[in-house]
């Protein structure tokens, strides 16, 4: 009897998660036009629908925290009874899924959760963030007051939601660090948050962002156990965050530990004998992935600054090709780093800096030499 009950409960959960997965996908595609390479705006027909509804819904900034979260251990507010805009209601329902995930885990029910649903929720949020959260008011001929009151740049709700999402990013990366696809989707959510100058300005004042950066830069678990591709993308996303008056302090805390770890590795007196050690290789690979993330995310106006940081790594990279000649993963990643710098940096460098780059010993010759 107990086995049959357990089997029935599992089947019910599987059906529930399947429904949630598809509903989150439908919500994402309904709320947004998924367009790559262009500014994402709220679809015109949805903006018109919201404007048409605004006479019958509340247009003041609501207490978003109480609407999303479970206050005082009681039941959640029924969103359909709050007389809110239907688009706002749908978006807040997606945020509620995040609250429920965290609630399950706080009660030791991680094994019951579906990583697929968590990933779909993160994907849906990343779709919604760009057009809605701190929306670009100047891009619209008409604006819905209900949407503006919740998601506008001057809205307290919008600022609170930015902080909430950053906590969600940190939570996902810590709890689901072994799930490659989920972590990459979560990092895309981070990039969506900081894609806008207005959201980035708010994010830079959120403790959750600084905590995430410090956990990653420390090189300790759980973020140190992220898949290599996720480590690269996370570095890329964090570099995008550095903005405003706190930019210098943020980037210093992010990058200096990376330099220290790299220096400690390459200056080891017995590096040659340790080159076949798995721990040494993994530490170097993690550092190189972070450097690749830095190289691929640099904006033109910050190229000189990051090139000055990167040049010592490039100069040491040639000797590392010889030391790790038998470790294909390392040699390929070093060459990829050179290629990324050439692709993303050199066109924006001054003539002096470009000469410094091309005067780095010919790394391709070094690689050819070690494999003959």
């Amino acid at each position: 009897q107990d086995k049959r009950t357990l089997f029935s409960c599992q089947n019910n959960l599987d059906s529930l998660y399947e429904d949630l997965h598809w509903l989150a996908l439908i919500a994402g595609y309904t709320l947004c036009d998924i367009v790559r390479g262009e500014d994402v705006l709220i679809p015109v027909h949805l903006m018109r629908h919201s404007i048409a509804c605004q006479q019958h819904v509340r247009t003041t900034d609501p207490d978003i925290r109480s609407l999303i979260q479970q206050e005082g251990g009681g039941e959640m507010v029924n969103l359909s009874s709050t007389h809110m805009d239907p688009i706002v209601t749908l978006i807040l329902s997606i945020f509620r899924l995040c609250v429920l995930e965290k609630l399950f885990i706080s009660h030791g029910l991680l094994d019951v959760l579906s990583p697929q649903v968590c990933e779909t929720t993160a994907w849906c949020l990343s779709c919604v963030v760009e057009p809605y959260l701190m929306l670009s008011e100047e891009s619209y001929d008409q604006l819905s007051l209900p949407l503006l009151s919740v998601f506008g740049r001057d809205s307290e709700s919008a600022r609170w939601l930015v902080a909430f999402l950053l906590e969600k990013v940190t939570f996902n990366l810590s709890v689901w660090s072994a799930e490659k696809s989920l972590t990459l989707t979560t990092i895309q959510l981070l990039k969506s948050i900081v894609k806008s100058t207005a959201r980035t300005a708010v994010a830079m004042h959120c403790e959750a962002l600084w905590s995430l950066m410090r956990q990653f830069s420390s090189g300790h678990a759980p973020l140190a156990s992220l898949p290599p591709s996720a480590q690269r993308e996370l570095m890329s996303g964090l570099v995008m965050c550095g903005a405003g008056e706190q930019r210098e302090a943020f980037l210093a805390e992010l990058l200096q530990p990376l330099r220290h770890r790299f220096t400690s590795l390459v200056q080891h007196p017995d590096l040659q004998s340790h080159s076949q050690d798995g721990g040494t290789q993994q530490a170097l690979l993690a550092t190189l992935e972070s450097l690749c993330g830095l190289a691929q995310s640099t904006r033109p106006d910050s190229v000189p600054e990051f090139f000055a940081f990167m040049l010592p790594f490039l100069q040491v990279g040639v000797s590392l090709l010889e030391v790790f000649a038998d470790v294909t993963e390392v040699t390929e990643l070093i060459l990829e780093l050179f290629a990324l710098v050439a692709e993303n940096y050199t066109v924006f460098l001054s003539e002096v800096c470009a000469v410094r780059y091309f005067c780095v010993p010919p790394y391709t010759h070094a690689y050819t030499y070690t494999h003959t």
Side-chain angles (χ1 to χ4, degrees):
Q1 180 67 33
D2 290 341
K3 288 183 178 179
R4 284 198 298 270
T5 303
L6 187 62
F7 182 75
S8 176
C9 288
Q10 186 60 53
N11 278 344
N12 289 338
L13 273 178
D14 291 343
S15 297
L16 172 63
Y17 290 145
E18 184 73 10
D19 289 345
L20 287 173
H21 166 69
W22 284 105
L23 286 170
L25 283 176
I26 293 169
Y29 282 107
T30 300
L31 289 165
C32 313
D33 290 329
I34 312 298
V35 182
R36 294 188 179 277
E38 298 182 18
D39 291 335
V40 183
L41 300 176
I42 299 171
V44 174
H45 65 280
L46 291 183
M47 181 65 79
R48 289 174 179 166
H49 177 68
S50 182
I51 291 171
C53 292
Q54 66 186 20
Q55 292 182 350
H56 310 290
V57 300
R58 62 189 298 176
T59 57
T60 56
D61 189 358
D63 181 4
I64 290 294
R65 186 195 305 258
S66 64
L67 292 174
I68 292 178
Q69 296 184 326
Q70 185 181 29
E71 297 292 335
E75 293 185 1
M76 288 183 168
V77 176
N78 182 356
L79 290 176
S80 62
S81 66
T82 58
H83 304 291
M84 295 183 65
D85 179 274
I87 297 172
V88 174
T89 300
L90 178 55
I91 292 174
L92 295 188
S93 299
I94 301 164
F95 278 87
R96 274 195 172 177
L97 279 178
C98 304
V99 175
L100 292 173
E101 290 169 13
K102 196 168 184 178
L103 187 64
F104 267 59
I105 292 172
S106 68
H107 286 81
L109 298 173
L110 175 62
D111 293 340
V112 177
L113 286 176
S114 162
Q116 183 187 46
V117 172
C118 295
E119 179 181 350
T120 312
T121 303
W123 170 83
C124 188
L125 288 172
S126 69
C127 292
V128 166
V129 160
E130 286 195 46
Y132 288 91
L133 190 55
M134 295 194 162
L135 54 89
S136 178
E137 299 172 21
E138 62 276 6
S139 300
Y140 301 92
D141 295 329
Q142 292 181 300
L143 282 170
S144 156
L145 288 179
L147 293 182
L148 200 59
S149 69
V150 177
F151 303 118
R153 292 174 184 171
D154 298 324
S155 161
E156 285 295 328
S157 294
R159 286 190 280 272
W160 186 85
L161 289 172
V162 169
F164 178 92
L165 288 170
L166 289 170
E167 290 176 3
K168 171 61 177 172
V169 168
T170 304
F171 184 77
N172 269 17
L173 295 179
S174 300
V175 172
W176 301 104
S177 58
E179 298 285 342
K180 179 180 177 180
S181 182
L182 199 162
T183 56
L184 289 173
T185 302
T186 299
I187 294 167
Q188 184 55 50
L189 170 58
L190 172 65
K191 290 184 174 184
S192 295
I193 296 169
V194 299
K195 192 173 181 179
S196 142
T197 304
R199 291 192 298 267
T200 303
V202 173
M204 287 297 291
H205 289 86
C206 293
E207 179 56 35
L209 177 61
W210 288 78
S211 175
L212 175 64
M213 177 271 290
R214 287 164 182 153
Q215 286 183 50
F216 180 64
S217 65
S218 70
H220 299 314
L223 298 189
S225 60
L226 289 170
S229 56
Q231 294 193 31
R232 176 186 298 205
E233 291 302 317
L234 182 54
M235 172 59 84
S236 174
L238 289 171
V239 169
M240 291 171 61
C241 297
E245 59 186 21
Q246 295 176 290
R247 178 179 184 277
E248 187 175 341
F250 185 88
L251 291 176
E253 284 199 51
L254 174 64
L255 298 178
Q256 290 309 317
L258 178 65
R259 173 179 287 171
H260 176 73
R261 288 198 300 275
F262 185 81
T263 303
S264 298
L265 275 170
V266 300
Q267 291 184 351
H268 194 288
D270 298 318
L271 181 61
Q272 185 73 53
S273 60
H274 282 77
S275 63
Q276 301 304 312
D277 176 69
T280 300
Q281 293 176 12
Q282 289 305 311
L284 182 57
L285 286 170
T287 302
L288 290 169
E289 288 285 2
S290 293
L291 289 170
C292 287
L294 173 60
Q296 72 184 26
S297 63
T298 306
R299 296 189 300 267
D301 60 343
S302 59
V303 163
E305 174 188 8
F306 287 129
F307 177 73
F309 175 83
M310 191 77 76
L311 188 59
F313 297 94
L314 299 174
Q315 292 168 334
V316 175
V318 178
S319 61
L320 290 179
L321 283 171
E322 299 177 0
V323 174
F324 291 90
D326 296 330
V327 187
T328 305
E329 283 182 290
V330 172
T331 54
E332 288 181 349
L333 207 49
I334 293 171
L335 292 175
E336 184 179 359
L337 177 59
F338 273 97
L340 285 169
V341 171
E343 179 182 355
N344 298 323
Y345 282 28
T346 52
V347 70
F348 300 110
L349 290 174
S350 66
E351 184 177 346
V352 173
C353 289
V355 168
R356 292 178 68 191
Y357 172 73
F358 288 111
C359 284
V360 172
Y363 51 89
T364 50
H365 293 177
Y367 183 75
T368 303
Y369 173 78
T370 58
H371 285 74
T372 55

